[in-house]
Amino acid sequence: METNVKQIKTTHKMATSKIGKLLFTMSIPAIFSMLIQALYNIVDSLYVSRITETNNELTALNYAFPIQMIVLAISLGIGVGTSSVISRCLGAKKQKKADDAAKTGLIITFFAYLITLGCSFFVPKLFMMIYHDSENIKHLSIQYLQIVMAFSIGSYFEVVISKILQGTGNMITPMISQLIGAITNIILDPIFIFQAGEGIGLPFGLGLGVRGAAIATVIAQCISGLFVTSIIIFKKQQVSFNYKQFKIEKIIIRDIFNVGLAVAIMNSINAITTIILNRILSSNGVTILGTYFKVQSFIFMPVFGLTQGAMPIMGYNYGAKEKERFLKTFQLSMLTSFIIMTIGLLIFQFGSEIITASFQLGDISNLAIRAFRIISLCFIPAAISIIISSMFQAIGHGYKSTLMSILRQAVILIPTALILKIITKNDDAIWWAYPISEMGCCLIFIFVTSYTIKHLFITKKEEIKAI
C-alpha cells in the first residue's frame, strides 16, 4: 500500500507539475551529484601530481583513465537503460514491468562486475603494451588499473541503483550517495598516497603513491555502493526489489540493452578515442589531454546531471502521450544546457592559466593553456548534441544516440586528428579536431532531431505498445 501511495504522488508530479519547476527540482540534485562525481575524476590527479616533479605519476593516471571510463560506461549503460525502461513503464501505468526492469538491471550489473573482475588480471598489462613510454609509467598505470577494476563492484552497484532511483523521480538519494563517496575519497587520498609530512603535510600517511590513490578510490566507491544498496533494502521505493516469484524476461533485457548499449557505446567510444589519441600524442600531449578531461568534467557533468533530471520527465510524458509537456521539457533542457556550456567556454578561454597552475604542469603549462582554449570551442555544439542524445534515450531510440557518438568520436574526430597530425607534425593541431567534430555532428543531427520529433507522436501508439 505504501508503494502505491508513493507511485500516485510521483505520477501526479510527473504529469501535472509545471515543467520549469519540475525540471529544476529533479535536475539540481542530479547536477550536484554529477559535480561530486567529477571530484572522483580530478582529486586523484590533483594529489598524484604532487608526488614527484617528473609528472610520471600524473601521466600514468592519464593512461589509465580511458579504461576507467569504459568500466564506468558499462555501468552507466546498464543504469540508464534500466532507468529509461522504468520511467516509460511508469508513464504507461505498467508497474509490474517497471518492477521487473529494476530487478533485471541489478542481475545484469552483477554479471558485468564478474566480467570486469576477470579482465582485471590481464587487461591492464595488455593495454599498456600498446604504448612506448617508460617502464615506470607503465608499471604505475597497471598497478592503478588492476585495483580499480578488481574492486569496481561498489562503483557498479552505486551507479546502477542511483540511475534506477532517478528513473522513479528520486534524485536526492543518488546525490547523497555521491557526496558520501567524494568526501570519503578526498579524506582517504592523502592518507594512502603520501608519507607523513609529504603532500599536504599530514602528520601520518601510508605512502603508497599511485597504488594508494586506487585503494582510496575503491573504498569510497564501495561505501557509496553500500549506502544505496541499504536504501533499496530497508526503505520502500516506487519500484519493488522483491525477487520472490521473479522471472527474467527476454523482452525486458532487450529493452534495457536497446537504450543501455547505446549509452555504453557512447561513453566507451570516448574512451577508445582517447586511447587512440594517446597513442599518436607525445608524452606531454597525453598529460595535457588527460588533465583537460579531468577539468572539463566540471563543465560537462552539470549538463549530464540536467539530462538525468530531464530524461525521466521526457520518458514519462512520452509514455503518457503528453506531447506538449514532452516538447517543453526538451526545449527548456536545451536552453539550460546552452547557458551552462557558454559559461564553461568563458571559464576555459579566460581561466586556463589558473587551471594549469593547480596541476603544477611546469614547462608544459603554456602548451596546456593553448590546448584548453582550442578544445573548449566544442562546448557550444556539444551542449546541443548532449540534450538531443538524451532525448533519443528517453524515447527508446538508443540507436540514434549511438550513431551520434560514432559520428562525433570516430567518423569525424579520429580521421581529422590524424590528418592534422600528419600535416603539421605537432600536437597543437590535433586539438582542433574536437570543435570540428562536434560542429559537424551537431549540424547533421539537428535535421534528424527535427524529423524524429515531427513524427514521434504520430506513430507513438505502435512504439508505446513495445515498451
Side-chain angles (χ1 to χ4, degrees):
M1 181 67 182
E2 189 173 340
T3 300
N4 291 335
V5 171
K6 291 182 179 181
Q7 179 184 346
I8 291 171
K9 288 181 179 179
T10 304
T11 300
H12 181 270
K13 176 178 71 172
M14 292 282 202
T16 62
S17 294
K18 289 183 178 180
I19 293 298
K21 180 180 178 182
L22 184 61
L23 183 61
F24 179 81
T25 55
M26 291 188 65
S27 296
I28 289 300
I31 289 173
F32 188 62
S33 295
M34 296 304 286
L35 283 171
I36 296 169
Q37 176 65 40
L39 287 175
Y40 274 120
N41 297 338
I42 201 169
V43 166
D44 284 354
S45 295
L46 283 171
Y47 282 126
V48 165
S49 67
R50 286 162 170 74
I51 295 177
T52 66
E53 295 181 358
T54 63
N55 278 331
N56 282 353
E57 293 81 7
L58 183 58
T59 302
L61 259 64
N62 289 337
Y63 276 124
F65 187 56
I67 300 298
Q68 283 184 276
M69 291 170 65
I70 291 175
V71 173
L72 179 60
I74 296 169
S75 60
L76 282 173
I78 299 169
V80 174
T82 306
S83 176
S84 177
V85 175
I86 289 172
S87 62
R88 283 181 282 135
C89 287
L90 292 177
K93 305 297 187 291
K94 297 183 178 180
Q95 181 66 46
K96 184 180 183 303
K97 189 168 183 181
D99 293 343
D100 289 346
K103 288 176 275 195
T104 302
L106 293 185
I107 293 173
I108 295 172
T109 302
F110 179 70
F111 283 102
Y113 164 68
L114 291 181
I115 293 171
T116 304
L117 174 62
C119 290
S120 69
F121 293 101
F122 63 90
V123 167
K125 293 179 181 178
L126 291 176
F127 172 65
M128 290 309 298
M129 288 174 65
I130 68 175
Y131 297 115
H132 303 293
D133 221 311
S134 72
E135 289 302 316
N136 180 44
I137 291 176
K138 288 184 178 182
H139 175 68
L140 293 173
S141 290
I142 292 169
Q143 268 191 341
Y144 187 84
L145 279 175
Q146 286 179 331
I147 294 171
V148 296
M149 289 178 68
F151 298 95
S152 60
I153 186 168
S155 174
Y156 266 109
F157 279 93
E158 192 280 326
V159 170
V160 174
I161 293 174
S162 290
K163 293 295 176 282
I164 289 173
L165 295 177
Q166 288 170 352
T168 68
N170 180 353
M171 314 303 282
I172 300 300
T173 299
M175 179 185 71
I176 296 173
S177 171
Q178 289 288 329
L179 187 60
I180 290 172
I183 291 174
T184 303
N185 193 36
I186 291 170
I187 293 173
L188 293 182
D189 254 341
I191 297 174
F192 280 89
I193 293 173
F194 303 113
Q195 293 181 350
E198 293 181 347
I200 61 174
L202 290 177
F204 49 86
L206 299 176
L208 298 177
V210 167
R211 190 154 49 99
I215 294 171
T217 296
V218 297
I219 290 175
Q221 291 171 344
C222 286
I223 291 174
S224 292
L226 287 172
F227 172 75
V228 291
T229 302
S230 68
I231 291 295
I232 65 172
I233 291 175
F234 298 111
K235 188 175 180 181
K236 285 183 180 283
Q237 302 299 322
Q238 193 179 340
V239 289
S240 170
F241 292 92
N242 189 336
Y243 279 86
K244 289 183 179 179
Q245 298 181 332
F246 167 72
K247 183 180 178 182
I248 294 180
E249 296 184 23
K250 291 182 180 179
I251 190 172
I252 292 179
I253 296 175
R254 184 203 68 187
D255 288 346
I256 290 174
F257 275 90
N258 187 39
V259 173
L261 187 61
V263 175
I265 291 174
M266 180 171 61
N267 287 276
S268 294
I269 288 174
N270 186 28
I272 293 168
T273 299
T274 304
I275 292 171
I276 295 172
L277 289 177
N278 283 348
R279 184 68 179 81
I280 65 176
L281 286 166
S282 64
S283 180
N284 286 339
V286 171
T287 302
I288 290 170
L289 184 62
T291 304
Y292 162 78
F293 274 123
K294 304 293 177 64
V295 178
Q296 63 94 33
S297 63
F298 279 98
I299 309 300
F300 278 77
M301 286 300 188
V303 178
F304 292 143
L306 173 68
T307 65
Q308 289 180 17
M311 276 182 57
I313 303 173
M314 288 190 286
Y316 180 94
N317 284 288
Y318 169 65
K321 310 176 187 179
E322 293 287 346
K323 180 179 180 180
E324 185 178 344
R325 290 176 63 79
F326 173 88
L327 290 176
K328 190 170 182 179
T329 304
F330 176 67
Q331 292 163 355
L332 186 56
S333 300
M334 187 71 73
L335 176 62
T336 307
S337 176
F338 182 84
I339 292 171
I340 293 172
M341 287 301 219
T342 300
I343 294 171
L345 174 62
L346 295 174
I347 291 173
F348 270 75
Q349 291 299 315
F350 299 104
S352 290
E353 292 91 343
I354 298 173
I355 295 171
T356 56
S358 301
F359 286 89
Q360 299 183 347
L361 296 180
D363 295 339
I364 64 172
S365 291
N366 289 334
L367 296 174
I369 291 168
R370 177 172 170 76
F372 289 3
R373 287 173 177 167
I374 293 173
I375 301 175
S376 63
L377 295 174
C378 76
F379 285 6
I380 301 300
I384 299 171
S385 296
I386 291 170
I387 299 301
I388 289 175
S389 179
S390 68
M391 184 273 291
F392 288 147
Q393 293 166 25
I395 64 176
H397 291 199
Y399 66 96
K400 292 180 180 176
S401 289
T402 306
L403 289 175
M404 286 187 71
S405 295
I406 293 173
L407 186 64
R408 288 167 58 201
Q409 302 181 62
V411 177
I412 302 178
L413 179 61
I414 292 299
T416 303
L418 287 171
I419 291 169
L420 292 172
K421 175 73 172 182
I422 292 170
I423 293 173
T424 64
K425 293 182 171 53
N426 66 69
D427 291 344
D428 264 1
I430 292 177
W431 312 134
W432 286 102
Y434 282 93
I436 290 171
S437 63
E438 287 288 0
M439 183 60 71
C441 179
C442 182
L443 290 174
I444 293 171
F445 269 88
I446 282 176
F447 294 103
V448 177
T449 303
S450 177
Y451 179 85
T452 299
I453 292 178
K454 182 178 179 180
H455 294 82
L456 183 61
F457 286 86
I458 295 175
T459 60
K460 66 179 181 300
K461 291 182 180 178
E462 290 76 11
E463 293 188 16
I464 289 173
K465 287 179 182 178
I467 294 178

